[in-house]
Amino acid sequence: MEFEKIRDIIVEQLGVDPEEVTMESSFIDDLGADSLDIVELIMALEEEFDVEIPDEDAEKIKTVGDVVEYLKNLEK
Amino acid sequence: MDREIKTALVTGGGRGIGKAIALKLAEDGYNVVINYSKSSKDALETVEEAKKFGVESCALKCDISNYDEVEKMVNDIIDMFGNIDVVVNNAGITKDNLILRMSEDDWDNVIDVNLKGTFNVIKFVSKYMIKRRKGKIINISSIVGVIGNAGQSNYAASKAGIIGLTKSLAKELASRGITVNAIAPGFIETDMTEVLSETVKSSMLNSIPLKRAGKPQDIANVVSFLASSASDYITGQVINVDGGMVM
């Protein structure tokens, strides 16, 4: 399942507990990420899923749900 | 001295100040990668001298002003050594002229190698340093970037640019345990300064309180300090190594 794979990457990049990562979690407000963490996370996702996420799209990603949604749309 | 063997990249490490830096880091126990753009002979000689300190060393040809070539060089170093702990952005060129006679190419080439080249290297190296939450980035600026110099507007602009780059990245990367500092050499005896006229040389010496030119070794000693854990609380600084020329 996609969510678990994404969650694992978030857990690894941000050093948070898996239980903290829900679809609603905001990277900055709930998971304590800073701007550089988000850039690193985006790069890790790009590597894992072999996609390219342009800056203008990356800027819109605020929550875990945004990532899941974004990657789902790419698959279509 | 830290026991783990670390890897350092020195751009323009085959000659002059870069060579002294590469050999000093080898003496300090770092595996040293010597980047060069033209003279493989100088670079290979430096590699052999570095190996005498019992460390690994190799020379990699790369025009640092070329973004793609730098990406490849950095990936090659990671493949060979596993990581990069210290990067010294030393490679630089001059194309001096008064502004009225300075061509667009003179301007572009100097900015491309000195400033963009420094950006290119940091761009690709920082990715690995960020992942490992540590790293030392040392940029070789110039005293000319601090005080300016008639006939060197391109060079001075590139070296002043390096100072802005250094301070910005020190702020950007501090939270990841990476320090970024610059060294601003004054008048150092190298091939680059040898071409200056006697009049220019003597007027420079007169403006130096210590009344002598510096040696590449003087710069290498400061690099050694900035690369070591002794300087862990120093970031975003420009250290003038100039015999007191600028205070």
Side-chain angles (χ1 to χ4, degrees), chain A residues 1 18 25 28-30 32 35 38 41 56-57 59 72 74:
Chain A
M1 167 61 196
S25 325
I28 290 174
D29 297 331
D30 302 320
S35 54
I38 294 179
L41 179 65
E56 55 266 35
D57 292 345
E59 278 162 23
K72 206 190 281 171
L74 278 185

Side-chain angles (χ1 to χ4, degrees), chain A residues 34 36-37 40 43 47, chain B residues 127 130 133 172 175-176:
Chain A
D34 65 15
L36 198 50
D37 284 319
E40 281 186 80
M43 286 169 70
E47 210 168 300
Chain B
K127 187 170 101 180
I130 287 170
R133 297 290 190 266
E172 216 170 284
S175 66
R176 298 305 188 269

